Amino acid sequence: MNRSLRLALFVVVALVQLAVAGGAIVKSEIALRTGEAYRFRIQPVDPVDAFRGRYVAIRFAVDRAPAPDDLEVKTGKRVFLPIEIDDDGYAIFGQASAEKPMSGPYLRLRAGGIYPDEEGNRFVWVTMPFRRYYMDEDLASDAGRAVWSGRRGQREASVGVRIRNGVGVIEELYVDDVPIHEWLAENAQNR
């Protein structure tokens, strides 16, 4: 293979890689800027990523959706979950589907399988694509502790997620309905 052909092949491969990465970034940015805002309850932990630093790991309180009797989906395949709002104003999942909903907000997520509950109702378990909230290294530990205390019943913890065309992006972490940066500033003396 001559040198100019190898160079051309290299350039094409590099452009394809940039296009794929750029497309993912653009989809997330569009969802973040123009998507509808929803709040999900969470159950977080506070780990460290050796390459990206401290973050608040998020475990969503809602991780399954009702599955109709005719829904068959293999583990790892995508399902569509309509977003509904519960009595407390938090986002929950409506009935899962293999097809994109005709209207309304939804998330397109990977299925972890379909399982029955104690009453025989079927549910599809899902994996949320966003499980980390990155923030300043110096504040992440305090944020994790604040959110963890919510899990013990002392505080309410949630995340704001922007959703557009099945794509969701975390916008904000909340403790007692206050954005985490504001909450940490207001409660600095209690840390």
Side-chain angles (χ1 to χ4, degrees), residues 75 99 111 138 157 159 172 177:
T75 300
E99 304 296 323
D138 298 330
V159 289
E172 184 64 76
D177 290 328

mmCIF file of all heavy atoms in Angstrom, residues 75 99 111 138 157 159 172 177:
data_model
loop_
_atom_site.group_PDB
_atom_site.id
_atom_site.type_symbol
_atom_site.label_atom_id
_atom_site.label_comp_id
_atom_site.label_asym_id
_atom_site.label_seq_id
_atom_site.Cartn_x
_atom_site.Cartn_y
_atom_site.Cartn_z
ATOM 1 N N THR A 75 -32.149 -9.084 27.258
ATOM 2 C CA THR A 75 -31.256 -8.291 28.077
ATOM 3 C C THR A 75 -30.268 -7.549 27.193
ATOM 4 O O THR A 75 -29.692 -8.115 26.272
ATOM 5 C CB THR A 75 -30.504 -9.196 29.071
ATOM 6 O OG1 THR A 75 -31.467 -9.845 29.896
ATOM 7 C CG2 THR A 75 -29.546 -8.401 29.928
ATOM 8 N N GLU A 99 -41.508 -0.085 20.924
ATOM 9 C CA GLU A 99 -41.660 0.957 19.906
ATOM 10 C C GLU A 99 -41.631 2.340 20.536
ATOM 11 O O GLU A 99 -42.106 2.536 21.654
ATOM 12 C CB GLU A 99 -42.994 0.776 19.165
ATOM 13 C CG GLU A 99 -43.180 -0.580 18.535
ATOM 14 C CD GLU A 99 -42.171 -0.858 17.441
ATOM 15 O OE1 GLU A 99 -41.822 0.075 16.693
ATOM 16 O OE2 GLU A 99 -41.718 -2.017 17.343
ATOM 17 N N ALA A 111 -32.569 -2.649 28.452
ATOM 18 C CA ALA A 111 -33.328 -3.528 29.339
ATOM 19 C C ALA A 111 -32.387 -4.489 30.049
ATOM 20 O O ALA A 111 -31.428 -4.983 29.469
ATOM 21 C CB ALA A 111 -34.364 -4.315 28.542
ATOM 22 N N ASP A 138 -13.295 19.286 45.763
ATOM 23 C CA ASP A 138 -13.392 19.662 47.168
ATOM 24 C C ASP A 138 -14.818 19.566 47.702
ATOM 25 O O ASP A 138 -15.021 19.482 48.905
ATOM 26 C CB ASP A 138 -12.868 21.089 47.373
ATOM 27 C CG ASP A 138 -11.399 21.213 46.999
ATOM 28 O OD1 ASP A 138 -10.664 20.207 47.132
ATOM 29 O OD2 ASP A 138 -10.987 22.312 46.568
ATOM 30 N N ALA A 157 -33.239 13.657 48.303
ATOM 31 C CA ALA A 157 -32.249 13.844 47.243
ATOM 32 C C ALA A 157 -32.869 13.502 45.896
ATOM 33 O O ALA A 157 -33.628 12.545 45.776
ATOM 34 C CB ALA A 157 -31.029 12.962 47.497
ATOM 35 N N VAL A 159 -32.272 14.310 41.269
ATOM 36 C CA VAL A 159 -31.525 14.934 40.171
ATOM 37 C C VAL A 159 -32.507 15.500 39.165
ATOM 38 O O VAL A 159 -33.573 14.947 38.938
ATOM 39 C CB VAL A 159 -30.564 13.953 39.442
ATOM 40 C CG1 VAL A 159 -29.383 13.593 40.296
ATOM 41 C CG2 VAL A 159 -31.277 12.740 38.933
ATOM 42 N N GLU A 172 -28.796 18.861 37.146
ATOM 43 C CA GLU A 172 -28.536 19.359 38.486
ATOM 44 C C GLU A 172 -28.802 18.284 39.525
ATOM 45 O O GLU A 172 -29.642 17.417 39.323
ATOM 46 C CB GLU A 172 -29.436 20.572 38.766
ATOM 47 C CG GLU A 172 -29.206 21.250 40.088
ATOM 48 C CD GLU A 172 -27.831 21.873 40.239
ATOM 49 O OE1 GLU A 172 -27.603 22.946 39.653
ATOM 50 O OE2 GLU A 172 -26.979 21.274 40.927
ATOM 51 N N ASP A 177 -34.722 19.898 47.631
ATOM 52 C CA ASP A 177 -35.205 20.780 46.563
ATOM 53 C C ASP A 177 -34.324 22.002 46.320
ATOM 54 O O ASP A 177 -34.754 22.955 45.683
ATOM 55 C CB ASP A 177 -36.652 21.228 46.817
ATOM 56 C CG ASP A 177 -37.626 20.081 46.660
ATOM 57 O OD1 ASP A 177 -37.358 19.187 45.836
ATOM 58 O OD2 ASP A 177 -38.658 20.083 47.359
#
